[in-house]
Amino acid sequence: ARLLISAGLAADWPDARGVWKDEWNAAWVNYDDHLSVAVTKGGADLEGAFGGLVGILHSVETDLATDGITFMKSDRLGYLTTDPTFVGSGVRATATVLLPCMSSQPKELKALSEERQVTITRAVEENTWRVTCTESMQYSAVEIVNRLGAAVTELVKLENVRKRETVLLKKQKTREEESGQAAGEEHKVPADSDPKPAVAASPATQA
């Protein structure tokens, strides 16, 4: 917070600030940047979320243009923002994925995050992970969303492979247990088959 305050972000607080929100969209005015917009979608509709974001920003840009105002943009760096990690495309894409099987494979998750250049961190919910494409300067907004989609697709494939392996191992273990029980039953001696002691008959005595 001290860094933000020293950069002047708290100047004139709380004037000229606001938040707008509905079920899927939110916009912060003068929180850190002049405008921050977030669009969320349930399920796997990355394209729908991105389309919603583009629609909102296009409407804002159209209204600003009537007053001769545009978003700050550098020919060399791209869009300029207060947070350096957003400089470039100005977009950060995140997906939340349920991975109950892959949660026990941290090495695979790390390898995939390095390969796909995304960050994979635990979310609040159990076995839930947050996948984020954080590189903004090198890529366009479309490329960022596509990279996130590719990473999530691969994660889901790995999860399904692990799930099938888990199911097969459980079936194999069940068969082995059933086979062991059957073998035990075959070698079990019935209770009514115990040998009884023989009684010797003595010869009759004649007077």
Side-chain angles (χ1 to χ4, degrees):
R2 290 183 178 180
L3 291 176
L4 296 178
I5 293 173
S6 65
L9 297 183
D12 302 319
W13 177 267
D15 297 329
R17 285 165 169 80
V19 177
W20 172 83
K21 184 181 184 301
D22 64 12
E23 184 178 4
W24 298 107
N25 312 298
W28 292 264
V29 178
N30 291 333
Y31 170 64
D32 45 14
D33 284 300
H34 290 144
L35 177 66
S36 298
V37 178
V39 177
T40 58
K41 285 285 185 182
D45 192 7
L46 281 175
E47 184 178 350
F50 181 63
L53 176 65
V54 171
I56 292 173
L57 294 178
H58 178 71
S59 297
V60 173
E61 283 184 306
T62 301
D63 289 341
L64 291 176
T66 59
D67 295 326
I69 302 172
T70 60
F71 292 127
M72 293 183 66
K73 189 175 183 181
S74 164
D75 293 336
R76 184 171 65 89
L77 301 175
Y79 288 103
L80 304 178
T81 61
T82 304
D83 186 342
T85 62
F86 279 97
V87 172
S89 68
V91 173
R92 179 172 295 164
T94 301
T96 303
V97 190
L98 182 63
L99 303 171
C101 294
M102 286 297 294
S103 293
S104 61
Q105 307 297 324
K107 291 184 178 180
E108 287 190 41
L109 292 175
K110 182 179 179 181
L112 188 141
S113 69
E114 293 174 351
E115 177 186 350
R116 292 291 181 177
Q117 294 182 320
V118 297
T119 59
I120 303 176
T121 56
R122 282 190 180 273
V124 177
E125 296 81 3
E126 185 179 4
N127 295 327
T128 304
W129 295 78
R130 186 173 289 108
V131 186
T132 305
C133 191
T134 56
E135 297 290 340
S136 179
M137 186 175 292
Q138 305 179 54
Y139 306 97
S140 68
V142 173
E143 289 173 328
I144 288 173
V145 174
N146 286 338
R147 286 175 59 219
L148 176 65
V152 171
T153 299
E154 188 166 349
L155 273 173
V156 172
K157 287 181 180 179
L158 290 173
E159 173 68 16
N160 289 334
V161 169
R162 287 291 180 181
K163 190 179 296 184
R164 287 193 294 270
E165 291 176 351
T166 301
V167 171
L168 290 174
L169 287 173
K170 286 182 177 179
K171 288 183 178 180
Q172 182 179 355
K173 184 177 180 180
T174 301
R175 285 196 297 266
E176 290 175 352
E177 290 176 351
E178 291 176 349
S179 177
Q181 290 175 357
E185 291 294 333
E186 291 178 359
H187 292 86
K188 187 176 180 180
V189 179
D192 58 355
S193 64
D194 292 341
K196 297 180 180 179
V199 179
S202 58
T205 303
Q206 295 181 355

